[in-house]
Amino acid sequence: MADKEYNPKIVGFLCNWCSYAGADLAGSSKLKMPPAISSIRVMCSSRVDPVLIVTAFLRGADGVLVAGCHPGDCHYEKGNYYARRRFALLRKVMETLDLEPERFRLSWISASEGPRFKEVVTEFTEHIKGLGPNPVKEKTSL
Amino acid sequence: MSDPKKEGEGLKGAAFSGGKSSLETVLGFLKRTLAEGCFDALLLPVKAPGGDSFPYVLVQDKALLEDRGSPLPPIMPVQGGKAVSSLTRRGKAPRKVAALMRPCEVRATIELFKLAQVDLENIFLISIDCPGVLPVKDFAADPEKGMAAFGEVLEKWGDRKVRPVCQICHRFTAPLSDDGAGMVVDLHIGLLGIEDGEVLLIPYSPAGEEILAKLDLVPAAGGDILSAWRDRANELTKKRGEERRRAQEEMKSKVRGLNNLLETFDKCINCHNCMRVCPVCYCRLCYFDSEAVKHPPDDYLRRAGDWGSIRFLPDTILFQVGRMSHMSLSCVSCGTCEDACPMDIPVAQVFSLVADEAQEYFGYLPGRSTDEPIPLATYKEEELEEVEDAPQGASSETKEKDG
Ligand code: SF4
Ligand code: SF4
Ligand code: SF4
């Protein structure tokens, strides 16, 4: 799948209180990062039903990032702890069925961590580039 | 409902006889519990008048119990957990009800209790050694033949005629360990390794002990019958465990990877029967039946445009994988979904494979305890670091978790 300029499509579910603000900060600080990510603002990482992630993959996302507040810093106190469990389960399901769980990433990014947001996005984009496009795009019987 | 025995007390059992067959003896026992006022009603499978099915019936009438009560029917047309949930979802039973079910049905009942879909107050749970059930469709096609086939199943306890998930079920009996930990139940009826006509009544809770005492039955620790039951059950558990591993490895090779998964569910007609009959898919409105998965025509045309085509009805695989991500931790491998699939897709074999791995990962066993929360309903502050910032540097190997 090597091509000159493969730009993966990454869907990012960012929590309103931390990671979305972190992304905003990265933007307003004019940090340079790959343009791969389409952000969706959610109120909390625990708002992201695993089904939404499966949906994104089945619709051709090459990668999905969920980002929320660091443990202990959740605006709703414990949303991210529950989210971590849910995504651990989703990963396990994807792993058992060999559905490329490595296209999914969960990271904690605070409102002040603009540089960390840039890092995560850059690193994840590189990683997804290494994996190549989501093979789901070649299927017609979904 | 009360908790399982405390550690070290040891299992005790009381032999009971009186019928020509063990199942007749079970009926005799149930009749006595009604006669002695232990319970006000029994919830158990009853042979339908036509003889072609065995629905759950709430029975107070001893004559009906005697004529058509079926403690171990050849099929499972309704999962017992669902039956108990229909009875108690709106509140506790006002009088005492004993529910007699197979072990996977008891485990589903406990999961539904934790999901606030069952009220266990005034419900006395009885489980029975289970040799498996026939596929419901096979039985419906020829009930007479089905009855004969099930007779053989009861003799052999390892017959290929039972459903695939039953053939590899390793939790077909009550806990065999001395502390009784492994399944929440009040009383278990043991059939394995015991002469026909006799059964073993094993109390697993103080309520279970009370009932036996009320009937002047004295359970003994040790004893020939108890050890015969335990030996046979242990032996079969081990054998089934090995068969389960083998069968699941084989299933993995058929279903792993997007192509294989698509092929497995290719025949799916999106009827969602599998979800509707599943005891632990309890949502009043399933996400996959909701407006959230119905999109404007634009959306479908865009997807068709992007990829060249789109299947209708859409989202078959989304439903399957999504359902797994919701309920795998509570799946009790009961096979009801597969029975209900009109397209003969091995739904339960796939779901139980995914469920086993997920449950092992979280160190969780559905139905094991009423206190142990379902893993998604709880958390620890420090855990699961392997999913944070993964995949960077993370491998796909799993770590033991203790829920
Ligand atoms: S998914 Fe199938 S096997 Fe698992 S609990 Fe539901 S009906 Fe039973
Ligand atoms: S698939 Fe999910 S949303 Fe649907 S009934 Fe099951 S648990 Fe509920
Ligand atoms: S019952 Fe079978 S055909 Fe119906 S939705 Fe489930 S897998 Fe598909």
Side-chain angles (χ1 to χ4, degrees):
Chain A
M1 302 262 166
D3 52 350
K4 29 191 180 20
E5 200 47 75
Y6 163 52
N7 271 320
K9 278 203 193 107
I10 296 175
V11 177
F13 292 96
L14 312 178
C15 96
N16 177 60
W17 305 100
C18 294
S19 310
Y20 195 83
D24 216 30
L25 182 61
S28 57
S29 320
K30 305 220 161 32
L31 299 180
K32 257 182 84 89
M33 53 189 151
I37 195 156
S38 317
S39 300
I40 299 172
R41 171 153 57 156
V42 289
M43 289 313 281
C44 178
S45 53
S46 67
R47 161 64 183 89
V48 185
D49 187 313
V51 165
L52 298 178
I53 293 163
V54 181
T55 305
F57 281 130
L58 290 175
R59 286 177 172 225
D62 298 308
V64 175
L65 169 72
V66 174
C69 312
H70 286 271
D73 292 343
C74 174
H75 184 76
Y76 308 99
E77 281 173 50
K78 41 197 181 178
N80 49 5
Y81 291 125
Y82 288 118
R84 187 168 59 190
R85 285 213 159 196
R86 268 189 220 167
F87 299 133
L89 173 60
L90 175 67
R91 281 192 78 101
K92 193 75 212 165
V93 170
M94 293 178 76
E95 187 186 301
T96 305
L97 295 176
D98 195 14
L99 294 178
E100 308 196 14
E102 61 277 10
R103 291 182 182 277
F104 169 68
R105 174 164 175 159
L106 173 67
S107 288
W108 311 129
I109 302 167
S110 78
S112 59
E113 291 180 320
R116 172 161 160 77
F117 181 81
K118 174 203 146 148
E119 230 167 73
V120 168
V121 169
T122 312
E123 203 178 81
F124 191 46
T125 307
E126 281 312 306
H127 170 79
I128 296 295
K129 275 188 179 168
L131 294 176
N134 181 350
V136 96
K137 289 175 191 162
E138 291 146 36
K139 312 295 169 205
T140 53
S141 63
L142 288 166
Chain B
M1 260 316 303
S2 13
D3 279 334
K5 282 174 161 268
K6 298 276 166 298
E7 203 165 336
E9 266 179 61
L11 291 185
K12 291 181 190 148
F16 192 84
S17 51
K20 283 202 280 317
S21 68
S22 293
L23 294 183
E24 227 185 86
T25 301
V26 176
L27 276 183
F29 167 72
L30 295 175
K31 242 175 61 190
R32 252 189 84 187
T33 62
L34 273 190
E36 307 271 334
C38 300
F39 311 114
D40 297 294
L42 298 171
L43 182 66
L44 84 165
V46 164
K47 191 174 194 167
D52 51 1
S53 193
F54 295 82
Y56 271 90
V57 174
L58 190 63
V59 183
Q60 284 180 284
D61 173 358
K62 288 183 213 80
L64 174 66
L65 178 67
E66 181 145 27
D67 291 349
R68 293 201 266 122
S70 305
L72 204 53
I75 49 173
M76 192 193 289
V78 168
Q79 224 273 8
K82 258 200 146 57
V84 180
S85 172
S86 317
L87 177 65
T88 65
R89 190 159 71 188
R90 309 263 320 249
K92 67 169 188 181
R95 289 184 293 279
K96 280 199 186 135
V97 176
L100 170 62
M101 296 179 279
R102 294 172 135 94
C104 63
E105 299 176 286
V106 171
R107 289 198 304 272
T109 305
I110 300 304
E111 290 307 285
L112 288 166
F113 167 74
K114 294 194 226 179
L115 292 161
Q117 304 301 310
V118 153
D119 191 325
L120 284 176
E121 210 181 319
N122 279 343
I123 299 287
F124 184 91
L125 294 172
I126 310 177
S127 56
I128 185 165
D129 281 349
C130 173
V133 293
L134 305 174
V136 78
K137 274 172 273 178
D138 291 4
F139 188 87
D142 191 342
E144 222 170 285
K145 210 169 127 201
M147 287 311 287
F150 192 67
E152 275 176 51
V153 168
L154 263 174
E155 254 166 55
K156 286 198 239 158
W157 286 83
D159 202 284
R160 294 281 143 200
K161 289 187 205 71
V162 298
R163 302 176 311 180
V165 282
C166 297
Q167 291 175 27
I168 57 168
C169 172
H170 58 329
R171 300 212 171 92
F172 52 84
T173 186
L176 300 166
S177 58
D178 258 344
D179 60 5
M183 179 169 84
V184 179
V185 71
D186 293 302
L187 185 74
H188 181 75
I189 301 176
L191 306 173
L192 276 162
I194 299 168
E195 256 173 67
D196 204 23
E198 209 164 17
V199 301
L200 185 67
L201 304 171
I202 311 160
Y204 277 88
S205 75
E209 278 166 14
E210 254 168 57
I211 294 297
L212 293 189
K214 202 163 176 180
L215 299 173
D216 293 324
L217 295 168
V218 186
D224 288 351
I225 302 192
L226 186 69
S227 52
W229 169 74
R230 213 202 275 225
D231 287 350
R232 183 78 179 94
N234 260 322
E235 180 197 330
L236 202 54
T237 302
K238 200 165 148 245
K239 191 168 146 230
R240 292 280 186 79
E242 281 157 17
E243 278 165 18
R244 190 175 187 88
R245 268 188 297 282
R246 200 174 322 125
Q248 290 193 332
E249 279 313 309
E250 207 182 305
M251 182 47 74
K252 265 191 193 167
S253 67
K254 284 190 205 145
V255 79
R256 268 170 67 87
L258 183 63
N259 280 333
N260 287 330
L261 191 68
L262 283 169
E263 214 169 281
T264 307
F265 288 100
D266 223 8
K267 292 187 287 185
C268 178
I269 58 171
N270 293 44
C271 64
H272 295 187
N273 277 1
C274 44
M275 169 275 290
R276 258 178 272 283
V277 298
C278 172
V280 297
C281 258
Y282 66 94
C283 304
R284 299 290 199 279
L285 173 62
C286 174
Y287 175 85
F288 303 100
D289 281 338
S290 75
E291 288 303 307
V293 293
K294 298 182 177 92
H295 305 290
D298 254 17
D299 183 90
Y300 296 116
L301 281 163
R302 197 177 52 240
R303 278 154 78 185
D306 283 353
W307 297 11
S309 60
I310 177 172
R311 169 178 166 147
F312 279 90
L313 307 175
D315 299 329
T316 308
I317 291 296
L318 175 65
F319 166 62
Q320 301 295 350
V321 179
R323 193 166 92 84
M324 287 172 199
S325 81
H326 283 172
M327 46 57 70
S328 310
L329 289 168
S330 293
C331 168
V332 294
S333 295
C334 65
T336 318
C337 49
E338 197 163 314
D339 250 353
C341 177
M343 299 306 287
D344 292 326
I345 295 168
V347 204
Q349 295 171 68
V350 177
F351 271 67
S352 59
L353 163 71
V354 170
D356 276 17
E357 303 232 340
Q359 290 166 14
E360 194 191 333
Y361 181 63
F362 281 96
Y364 181 76
L365 197 62
R368 176 167 59 190
S369 137
T370 45
D371 307 329
E372 176 185 35
I374 292 175
L376 294 187
T378 184
Y379 65 87
K380 285 184 194 155
E381 289 185 2
E382 292 192 19
E383 62 171 1
L384 301 170
E385 30 330 295
E386 69 270 23
V387 305
E388 296 174 343
D389 287 330
Q392 262 59 41
S395 71
S396 62
E397 83 195 59
T398 66
K399 280 188 205 161
E400 270 298 313
K401 282 286 139 213
D402 57 342

